[in-house]
Amino acid sequence: MTRQVVPLPAARLLTRAQAASYCGLSTIVFQRECDVCPIRFGANTVQRYDRRDLDHWIDRLKGEPDAPSFDQWLDALDTRVPPDRPMREREPH
């Protein structure tokens, strides 16, 4: 029986060089143009850029309206239909 290797998911947190590459920019242009703040770990020695923040930055550059975050989307659903209501009484989408 052979062992099957499960691939790791794509990294969400990226180094500056990875973030620049993800955005299709050189590191120098990325540093100059990108206003996304990196996440700092430890004593600020390790910094990583969140891909979701980079995607949001790119969407803003394109002039797209701010899309609600996943948590905002869930909150909106929670306020629309009380959680104690049975599924069959909920409004169809």
Side-chain angles (χ1 to χ4, degrees), residues 44-61:
N44 292 330
T45 56
V46 177
Q47 299 180 19
R48 295 292 183 267
Y49 292 85
D50 188 328
R51 285 187 339 172
R52 292 180 187 171
D53 293 340
L54 296 172
D55 289 341
H56 182 70
W57 173 66
I58 293 167
D59 290 342
R60 284 185 295 138
L61 288 175

Side-chain angles (χ1 to χ4, degrees), residues 50-86:
D50 188 328
R51 285 187 339 172
R52 292 180 187 171
D53 293 340
L54 296 172
D55 289 341
H56 182 70
W57 173 66
I58 293 167
D59 290 342
R60 284 185 295 138
L61 288 175
K62 292 171 44 182
E64 293 181 5
D66 288 342
S69 71
F70 184 70
D71 290 334
Q72 290 170 329
W73 182 79
L74 289 177
D75 288 343
L77 288 176
D78 287 344
T79 58
R80 211 173 118 193
V81 179
D84 58 338
R85 242 171 105 183

